[in-house]
Every structure is written in C-alpha cells, then in structure tokens.
Amino acid sequence: MAPRLSVVVPIYNVERYLEECLDSIAAQTFDAFECVMVDDGSTDGSAVIAKAYADADSRFRLVQQKNKGLGAARNTGIRNLGGTEYLAFMDSDDTLPPGAYELMVGTLDETGSDFAAGNALRFRTAEHYQSHAHRRPFRETRLKSHVSEIPSLVTDRTAWNKVYRRSFFDTAGILYPEGILYEDAPVSVPHHFLAGSVDVLSEPIYHWRVRDAGDMSITQMKTDPKGLIDRVRSIELVREWLIAQPEPKFREYLRSYDRNTLVEELPMFFWSVPDGDRGYREAYQQHVSRLLRTIGVEQINALSAPLRVKYRLTLANRMSEFVTLQRMHRLYRRRAQLLRLGRTPAPSA
C-alpha cells in the first residue's frame, strides 16, 4: 500500500530511548506510512539504531546531516518527504499509543479539516498522567472547530500531537525557526489561526516523556538563560507573523495572543526567577521587559493587580523586590495547598 502519511522524526543522541520510539511507530494500526528519520549529527549510537530500522523495514528511511538543531532537522525531514497526503512530527524520546494515527487520519478523512490535534499524556517508566499543557484545550472532542471558537487552542504549541493535511501545510509555507529552542510555537500557533477548521481530539494520541534526573530535556531546564531567551523569541516570532498578516481579523488574533502571553505564558517564568542565578534574572528582566514594551501598557493595565505589580517591577528593573514578592507568593501557595489537604503549615522563620 502506498504511504498516505509521512512521520518526521528528528534524532540527536537518544540511543537510550530511540528503539521504544520507533517501535511505537512500527506498531501503529495505521500502517500506510513512511517514517523519515533525520539523524542530526548524533555522537552516540542513535544513527546505528536508526539505520537498523531502515534496513529491516522499508517504511523507515534515514537521512543524516551535521548537527543543526531540532528546527533544522524537522525542516530537513520536510524536504525529504514522499508524495503523501498527511504529515506528522514526532520527537525521538517519546512514544505513540497504537491507534494514534488511525484515529487522526480517519478523522481527517471524515471531516476534511486542515489538521487534527490530540491530547497528550506525560510518562515516566511506569506511570502515565495527563499533560497539564494539553488539559484545557483537549478537554472534549470537537470536530471542524477553530481557535476562534476554542481560545485555549492558542496554548496548543507542540508539533508532535498533530496530523496535518499536506496541502494545507505546504500552502501555509511556515517552516521551523532554526537555532533556537521552543521552535514549535512559531509554526503551530500560526497554523491554528490559518486553518479553515481543526479537529480537536480528547483522546490521548501521544506519550510525552519526562526524562530522569541527570538526563534533562529542553522543557525541563528551568533556570537556563538560553531557554528563557529563546522562549521569549519564540513568542516574538508568533507576534511578528500575526502583525504581518493583512486581514483585519488578525488584529484581534494578535490581541488575544498577547493576552494569553501575559496571563499564562510569561507567568511561568515567575516561579523560576527566585531560583535562578544573576545571569538568569538579568536575562528575565532584559528580554521579558522588551516583550512587555512591545505588547504595550494598555494590555498590562487590563490585567489583575498581582500581574500588573509583577510586570511593573520587571519593567522598572526592581528585581530584588520582584524576587521577594514571588517568594511570598510561593509560600502563600504552598500553605494554601497544605490547608486544602488538611495539614497544618509549619510556622515561617
């Protein structure tokens, strides 16, 4: 059977996890696929493992390149696709439930939507649990919908919980930014705004690994200045794309995206600032302040009082006061959690 679906799997130094990942692709109940594995200059045994799969199963193909990063590896995969109808991406340390692609392709065949996006579970060796990032947008299945109807879809930034109709993906012409972390959002978010309709599936179709201590993934590096800098840049790339769109509806999309950035995305940095070193705090103040000035004071003034105070302290470079306030907030939240559990908080020093 000719492949209908292309699955792009970037690979870099994941010999510990790669077989589990590729086995879960090979075991899909939808088997009319090609898997384009892109070895991004691995220095461990990952390329050897990938070649073994390509030698044993004609559905798997290996492309190799010098190390350029995840965004570049995905783009290389896109350039090496066959003439398939659908496209998906997968990270090489994660896994799929067996019926994932059958469900998503079958849904798209039925609805004609531009892409399908599904729920995800986090997992460790012996435990699977709901991904917090995917809980709200994928609370219920809604076919032929849109981010304007489900605003929480603006938080659906991951590349790998989707199957795209190739005609839509190719026409959109949006490739992954290269040389930065958090390269998913500048592709996933614009696609949500561009789509005529999207199929939103509450069924978990992806298992997103939580790596063990000492083997941390990008999303687990909480106080690395590069992670913060690149995440802000990722937000800016989405904003730049929205601003460049000529249709009037994109002005409202931009306003909605900015509000989500202020209320949900930037506050994630608040919790790591007290734990970060001087370099991290300086990166936070410099890059978040730049973004805040671009979004504008009008949007900040419309926020709740706690957020307004934290953003104003950030803009004024009063980081010692920001850290003190955030530590108090953290203490308050911990005490509130203990009280909800019926425990008595220990007295503060």
Side-chain angles (χ1 to χ4, degrees):
M1 185 182 298
R4 299 184 63 207
L5 168 70
S6 296
V7 184
V8 174
V9 184
I11 296 169
Y12 180 70
N13 288 355
V14 284
E15 62 180 3
R16 182 176 177 182
Y17 309 112
L18 185 56
E19 289 185 3
E20 190 177 0
C21 169
L22 298 179
D23 282 347
S24 77
I25 298 174
Q28 287 296 295
T29 55
F30 180 87
D31 61 1
F33 68 82
E34 63 167 5
C35 178
V36 181
M37 304 174 290
V38 181
D39 176 56
D40 189 40
S42 294
T43 57
D44 65 357
S46 296
V48 174
I49 294 170
K51 186 176 185 305
Y53 278 79
D55 290 344
D57 188 333
S58 61
R59 297 175 301 178
F60 289 78
R61 289 192 285 119
L62 175 61
V63 178
Q64 293 183 275
Q65 66 179 27
K66 294 180 180 180
N67 180 248
K68 298 179 181 179
L70 180 55
R74 285 191 183 138
N75 293 338
T76 295
I78 292 167
R79 289 192 293 270
N80 282 273
L81 300 178
T84 50
E85 185 178 356
Y86 295 113
L87 170 63
F89 298 92
M90 185 173 183
D91 284 357
S92 52
D93 54 350
D94 298 333
T95 66
L96 297 164
Y101 290 146
E102 182 177 15
L103 172 63
M104 300 182 86
V105 170
T107 300
L108 289 170
D109 283 345
E110 176 186 339
T111 65
S113 290
D114 291 315
F115 65 95
N119 206 347
L121 301 179
R122 300 305 311 263
F123 79 102
R124 295 182 174 89
T125 303
E127 177 188 21
H128 288 73
Y129 56 94
Q130 173 66 50
S131 161
H132 177 75
H134 297 84
R135 177 183 285 110
R136 189 153 58 95
F138 297 100
R139 184 177 293 120
E140 61 178 339
T141 293
R142 292 180 60 177
L143 305 183
K144 300 199 73 169
S145 193
H146 190 261
V147 65
S148 59
E149 300 171 5
I150 310 174
S152 60
L153 283 175
V154 77
T155 67
D156 175 37
R157 304 177 181 98
T158 49
W160 32 250
N161 65 324
K162 300 171 178 63
V163 169
Y164 289 100
R165 195 174 297 277
R166 279 281 302 281
S167 57
F168 167 78
F169 191 96
D170 292 347
T171 300
I174 304 172
L175 295 178
Y176 289 92
E178 301 185 8
I180 68 168
L181 308 175
Y182 302 104
E183 69 297 309
D184 294 24
V187 176
S188 297
V189 176
H191 281 156
H192 268 295
F193 288 120
L194 281 175
S197 68
V198 174
D199 297 329
V200 178
L201 306 176
S202 63
E203 180 75 15
I205 55 80
Y206 197 85
H207 296 162
W208 181 14
R209 186 182 299 275
V210 179
R211 292 199 188 183
D212 299 329
D215 188 18
M216 303 292 275
S217 68
I218 290 169
T219 52
Q220 292 170 262
M221 297 165 61
K222 300 298 186 184
T223 57
D224 176 9
K226 178 172 173 54
L228 184 151
I229 292 166
D230 284 359
R231 191 151 192 163
V232 171
R233 183 60 190 143
S234 176
I235 295 168
E236 290 173 331
L237 287 171
V238 175
R239 295 191 80 256
E240 289 166 10
W241 182 87
L242 286 166
I243 291 168
Q245 305 311 304
E247 297 91 337
K249 65 183 178 181
F250 286 94
R251 305 289 75 75
E252 182 55 36
Y253 291 161
L254 174 63
R255 187 171 184 83
S256 174
Y257 180 73
D258 281 345
R259 178 165 177 81
N260 178 265
T261 296
L262 293 170
V263 172
E264 294 193 31
E265 188 152 7
L266 290 182
M268 290 190 293
F269 295 137
F270 294 168
W271 304 101
S272 53
V273 169
D275 299 325
D277 60 15
R278 179 178 177 180
Y280 184 85
R281 294 180 186 180
E282 289 177 350
Y284 166 85
Q285 196 281 323
Q286 176 186 347
H287 294 274
V288 172
S289 291
R290 183 183 70 242
L291 180 58
L292 292 174
R293 286 191 293 269
T294 303
I295 291 174
V297 68
E298 179 186 349
Q299 287 264 46
I300 295 172
N301 287 341
L303 301 173
S304 65
L307 284 175
R308 289 201 310 270
V309 170
K310 291 177 184 179
Y311 286 137
R312 286 170 181 171
L313 289 174
T314 299
L315 285 165
N317 197 14
R318 293 162 62 181
M319 291 307 298
S320 60
E321 294 165 84
F322 178 97
V323 168
T324 298
L325 177 61
Q326 189 60 30
R327 284 176 174 160
M328 290 174 63
H329 188 175
R330 179 187 291 176
L331 179 61
Y332 171 82
R333 193 169 74 162
R334 286 176 179 169
R335 290 190 170 195
Q337 289 172 340
L338 289 173
L339 289 171
R340 282 196 298 269
L341 294 171
R343 301 175 187 172
T344 303
S348 56

